[in-house]
Amino acid sequence: MRISLEVMAGPVLLAGAGVALAGWTWRAWVDPLMDFGVQLYVPWRITLGQTLHTDLGYITGGPLSQYFNAALFRLFGVGMMTLAWSNLFIIAATTALIYILMTRMSGRLVAGLAGMTFLGLFAFGQYAQIGSYNWVTPYSHELTHGVVLALGVVLCLGEFLRGRRRLGWLIACGALSGLAFLTKAEVFLGVGAAVAVGGSLALAQSPGRRGAIIAALLGPMLAIPILAWGLLVTRMPAGEAMICTLGSWRLLADEAIRSLPLYQRVFGVDDFYGNVILMVKTAAIYALLLGMAAGAGLAIRSRWVSAALSPILLLAVAGVGLWMGDWIRWPSVARPLPLVVIIAGAVQVLHLGRRVEPEQRHAVQLRLLLAVLALGLLAKTILNVQVQGFGFALTMPAMLVAIEAMVGQLPRSVERQGGSAAAALAVMLGAWGVMLGAHLSATGRLLEHKGEVIASGADAFLADERAAPINLALDAIAVRVAPDQTLLGVPHGAMLNYLSRRASPIREFNVQLPEILAAGGESVVLDELRQSPPDYILVTTWSMAINNRQLLFGGESRYGNDLVAWIRVNYRSVVSVRGALGLVLARRIPSGPEAPVGAGS
């Protein structure tokens, strides 16, 4: 019975934490304007017969996630909570995968800490006003779906390498890899690297089955994208089906998109030297903490002294961390993770050259595979790694590698030197607790501002001060825009399209700079507007620092001037809503300008 309790303690605690965090953040996950509206609009339109690429200019990823979400809408009804419930199940599955992998690498304690880190920092965390960077309502389902598929790839590779030489594990790995290809390019970069390393290890362990191993891995990996292309060909020309299958891969070759300030900042090359220096400085803090843990462990040799001092060390480190909390730059806490992952991976490569027990070898192989995957996922943000933003998914595996190394391997290393593993562990646990508490506190501060309800029923969610103007705009749309009339939200109005159940008449329903560039430029979008002018246009203005999106309709705009000029001539304002978010509903003028958009405002 005691063993059963030990086995169940971790999963039960993680389940309780997941339920508590879901309840704490309930329906406050959604950003009322940015990103997630696209994730709702696209599958809703697919259920009504439209297709990706030909009808819906969706550039965020491949076809897998959107058609999966459309299937959910067909089965369980169109509603925000349909996707939210699906994503809560995905969070549970991801937590289980993390727990299994970490248990096999370092035991249940590290597995529990890793699972808690995923739930507290990434799955439910919110660190900026834009609330699209969590696993319940992500800005891109391709990213969360892709990461959980990637963890599944590592698990399947690990099972084969563990000694269970059944090719079924490799076939499953290939299938999951093929599905990951249909999500996002940056996800498959990590998956491909992990498969390459894992496949090499498998060939080294089973040289006589080389052909079978390669076929088991590559067959499904190639077959699934080909199958997706074949299904898409039934709805669109073969060339367009190929573009749709490739998803975000084609954007990697688009220099205009890659050079956007947003992506330069995400990658970290906007301030190359500054970001490198910050990474090194933060890495020095990591080194100091590791030195403290190792020093404390090696200084204590007595079991009794260790038992007495370890709780004191934990509380002391936590107390100092809380006292210094206001001076710690928490958004930078993940900066050194590329270095941590590289070092952790290199250590595992060295271990593979030694003779170790089979179970230990399996743990080393899993650590290496996770490190390779994590480094591949960090490629997009390599000089500006953060927990927030894109890091809510891309940084998570690297954080797991760091926790396993610092909380799992470091104390064991101290113990092998005759020191106190408990003392070293106490120092690391104190630091981990402060980090988790700081991020939960940041989430709590944002949740305090989300007290107003937008929409109703399965679409209802809590939002900040932007809720009032959005509700007024939805009321105006309900009164003035007939259900069969069309509505275009510029530059970011997909959420209002979805909530009002009013369709956009043009392919580029999300009129933002990356989408405009992917479409072929502003002139292409303008030609489409001229051919299919919407009955109404909803202009949103919201001042944001990120990507300078508010400049779309400004006099100093880098793009959108021709679109703005066309709207001003061909539409007149009928409703203007002011507040934390500015909204102007404009009706198309049948012939000649009356009162242009913006008149009197």
Side-chain angles (χ1 to χ4, degrees), residues 452-461 467 470-471 474 498-499 501:
E452 299 186 57
V453 179
I454 292 179
S456 61
D459 287 324
F461 61 90
I470 286 178
N471 281 327
L474 289 173
Y498 168 77
L499 291 176
R501 300 299 195 271

Side-chain angles (χ1 to χ4, degrees), residues 146-302:
V147 170
V148 71
L149 289 170
L151 292 176
V153 165
V154 172
L155 179 65
C156 290
L157 285 170
E159 286 302 298
F160 183 85
L161 295 172
R162 192 181 183 185
R164 301 178 180 180
R165 302 289 193 266
R166 296 177 182 174
L167 290 178
W169 288 112
L170 296 185
I171 292 171
C173 171
L176 293 174
S177 302
L179 291 173
F181 181 87
L182 300 175
T183 59
K184 285 183 80 69
E186 53 263 44
V187 171
F188 191 76
L189 287 175
V191 168
V195 170
V197 172
S200 299
L201 293 173
L203 291 172
Q205 290 185 190
S206 304
R209 307 173 69 189
R210 182 170 300 172
I213 288 173
I214 293 175
L217 282 173
L218 294 185
M221 189 187 301
L222 296 174
I224 286 180
I226 293 172
L227 176 61
W229 173 80
L231 293 173
L232 289 169
V233 163
T234 64
R235 302 297 303 274
M236 61 185 75
E240 294 191 6
M242 178 60 67
I243 294 174
C244 185
T245 302
L246 292 175
S248 61
W249 281 95
R250 62 190 178 96
L251 302 182
L252 294 179
D254 194 323
E255 175 61 27
I257 293 179
R258 290 203 317 269
S259 62
L260 288 176
L262 170 64
Y263 299 118
Q264 296 289 301
R265 185 164 54 251
V266 167
F267 191 68
V269 295
D270 62 323
D271 183 13
F272 178 85
Y273 293 107
N275 284 323
V276 170
I277 291 171
L278 184 56
M279 178 189 293
V280 172
K281 286 182 177 179
T282 314
I285 298 174
Y286 274 52
L288 177 62
L289 180 63
L290 290 171
M292 290 171 54
L298 292 173
I300 300 174
R301 302 283 174 167
S302 166

Side-chain angles (χ1 to χ4, degrees), residues 108-131:
R108 297 190 188 97
L109 174 61
V110 174
L113 294 175
M116 199 70 71
T117 302
F118 165 66
L119 292 171
L121 264 68
F122 300 101
F124 296 97
Q126 297 185 36
Y127 311 113
Q129 188 177 16
I130 299 177

